[in-house]
Amino acid sequence: MINYKGIAINNLLAMGPLKKFSNNDFVPKKEIVEDADKEIENFNAAIDSTREILEQLCETQTAEGNDEAAEIIEVQVMMLEDEGYITDITDMISSDKVCSSYAVYEVGNSYAKMFEAMDNEYMQARSADVLDISRRIIRVINGVEGFSLDSKDKVVLVADELGPSDTVKLEKDCILAFVTKKGSDRSHTAILARSMGIPALVVEDMDLDSLFDGMFSIVDGENASFIIEPDDELIEEFDRRLFAQDENNKELETYRDLPSETKSGKKITICANIGCVEDAKAAVENGSEGIGLFRSEFLYIGRDSAPSEEEQFEAYKAVLELFGEKPVVVRTLDIGADKKADYLNLPEEENPALGLRGIRICLTNKELFKVQLRALLRAAVYGNLHVMYPMIISEKEIDDIYAVVNEVEQELIAAKVEYKIPVQGIMIETPAAVIMSETLAKKVSFFSIGTNDLTQYTLAIDRQSKEIDAFYDPHHPAILSMIKTVAENAHKAGIWVGICGALGEDLTETFLEYGIDELSVVPSAVTKIRKVVRNIE
Ligand code: PEP
Ligand code: MG
């Protein structure tokens, strides 16, 4: 038995025989041609055929109601017609006198590398699309059929990489799960796996050579693990989990569009926590009543420089447009401690969780903060934006934040840029903020309690440390008492209060009693909490 750890694209489970999907047939030989013009003609004909294939694929997806898949294929058709890409290929054929499939392969790879090197994560993920298109053209040139599942059994598809056009073409009914070595959770294949509801993992450590068709496997999206040849005991246990997941999902689906209210009619808003635009789509699909926490720092992590104002504006706007009138709470950059971005050159600290993080970074590096605020104020025009500031410990910080917001507003007015001042609130995640909550409530429009950090700072327990896990108790009476106090103080000042830490998935009845107005949880937990609420007297 081998147990690989990976990145879960969703939290779904699957079990069955694996089947390997190989992209090796796409590596063409470098052949020299005599007649370059003829070769360019062949290439142009291949582009036309590829376009037809993709357009047909797009039509089928639209007819089947798979709008998201159809949109992705449409983007591929546009990329296929990209002038730079086509010219680079034809130039290479005529100058190097190489066969068209080799030129497509080389140019495709260099475009993919160029996308990969870009700052923008969305553009990085497009690298898989350009490779996918190039492979498809090469198949057409060489008259090779694409991968097909000549299998009646359902399989766990294992691949080095999987292109989106392959993904949509696969018989959905034959696929139990996707496991790829390469990929990101922003790739189109990941987006499709989410929208198709197919379990998917990215497992970088996987040794593809040691895997063979027919090997039995478990895809565990809840624990991000891929298990090869599990023992009987594990199979039995997993069988039970799969059955339970199926039954549970069917039942939870029925709660998607129901109101979040108790039997006696007490209402609460159930929102979702997200880290990117794709998560927001999952939140809509799961019946979320808004976004309770958009962890904007995920736009800043895993790259070489901070996202530009424009890039951020587009991301916030996209989420706001998805939710219309419903509230979208974007938390300003909460980087530091476990969330790192090397380009910020933050100091090495003895106790990073107690160091330069969250709002402290923004108030120290005002330019960085202003870029984000500008993007937020501009995006606010497109929906019901709420902006939330993390790690607050004092009134002065709120005053300082408002001064920066005011500066940004003046700059936007001077530049005649359209903007709106969003609803502004704070996270309550430090004991100081709890104790000051009566005063702080008079300065802001809402509170959202971050129970993860509140537990860490109140119990003096590092939330990252596995060794002291047993002591980390978010149900500690001190925490519950703090939540109650914060709710009372919020309501006294006439503002709403939510919970966006992980404890929001728990103790629903207690929080309703405290008068908590909103719970924000991972998208997949929205219907689960709604069911709990609707079953409370
Ligand atoms: C929290 O601290 O509870 C919270 C929601 O923020 P994060 O987990 O991102 O620190
Ligand atoms: Mg926090």
Side-chain angles (χ1 to χ4, degrees), residues 449-463 468-484 499-507 510-511 514:
I449 306 174
T451 53
N452 308 334
D453 277 316
L454 187 59
T455 308
Q456 152 165 278
Y457 296 127
T458 305
L459 305 185
I461 289 179
D462 180 355
R463 66 191 256 193
I468 44 175
D469 239 10
F471 298 93
Y472 184 91
D473 176 18
H475 293 186
H476 193 290
I479 307 295
L480 298 185
S481 155
M482 285 172 143
I483 295 174
K484 193 160 182 270
I499 297 181
C500 62
L503 191 61
E505 277 190 45
D506 227 338
L507 307 178
T510 308
F511 295 147
Y514 290 176

Side-chain angles (χ1 to χ4, degrees), residues 295 331 334 339 357 390-391 427 429 450-454 457 463:
R295 288 183 163 98
R331 175 175 72 187
D334 184 21
K339 291 174 257 180
R357 60 165 295 193
M391 289 291 295
M427 288 202 68
E429 54 183 344
T451 53
N452 308 334
D453 277 316
L454 187 59
Y457 296 127
R463 66 191 256 193

Side-chain angles (χ1 to χ4, degrees), residues 30-189:
K30 182 178 182 178
E31 278 170 14
I32 302 300
V33 293
E34 305 226 319
D35 188 347
D37 291 341
K38 179 102 203 328
E39 199 59 20
I40 290 173
E41 253 175 54
N42 287 347
F43 166 68
N44 286 331
I47 290 281
D48 289 341
S49 307
T50 309
R51 187 187 306 108
E52 269 171 38
I53 293 171
L54 287 175
E55 280 170 353
Q56 236 171 38
L57 204 54
C58 190
E59 270 172 35
T60 326
Q61 295 303 321
T62 310
E64 287 174 8
N66 303 330
D67 293 344
E68 197 155 16
E71 271 172 37
I72 290 172
I73 305 297
E74 262 172 38
V75 172
Q76 290 207 342
V77 174
M78 272 156 57
M79 289 171 91
L80 180 73
E81 286 164 352
D82 181 86
E83 226 172 86
Y85 174 73
I86 306 242
T87 315
D88 284 357
I89 294 168
T90 46
D91 282 357
M92 186 170 182
I93 298 172
S94 48
S95 61
D96 297 3
K97 301 255 180 306
V98 289
C99 64
S100 51
S101 51
Y102 182 76
V104 174
Y105 179 73
E106 283 293 303
V107 172
N109 276 355
S110 76
Y111 270 66
K113 282 201 188 106
M114 178 185 79
F115 278 124
E116 239 171 51
M118 286 184 179
D119 276 350
N120 178 323
E121 278 187 45
Y122 176 83
M123 296 310 288
Q124 284 169 358
R126 299 296 65 80
S127 147
D129 288 294
V130 80
L131 286 178
D132 192 35
I133 296 162
S134 305
R135 285 187 202 119
R136 193 166 279 284
I137 303 170
I138 296 169
R139 278 192 206 137
V140 170
I141 295 171
N142 296 342
V144 178
E145 272 296 305
F147 176 80
S148 73
L149 278 173
D150 47 357
S151 148
K152 298 274 169 295
D153 296 327
K154 290 190 162 206
V155 290
V156 170
L157 199 69
V158 178
D160 186 48
E161 199 174 13
L162 211 51
S165 72
D166 286 317
T167 315
V168 293
K169 247 189 99 189
L170 290 167
E171 284 277 318
K172 192 182 160 195
D173 295 344
C174 296
I175 306 288
L176 287 168
F178 298 120
V179 183
T180 57
K181 218 172 142 62
K182 294 189 195 133
S184 77
D185 67 350
R186 269 152 231 256
S187 70
H188 272 150
T189 304

Side-chain angles (χ1 to χ4, degrees), residues 499-526:
I499 297 181
C500 62
L503 191 61
E505 277 190 45
D506 227 338
L507 307 178
T508 312
E509 189 155 7
T510 308
F511 295 147
L512 272 160
E513 275 166 22
Y514 290 176
I516 295 293
D517 303 289
E518 178 242 33
L519 295 170
S520 193
V521 295
V522 293
S524 57
V526 169

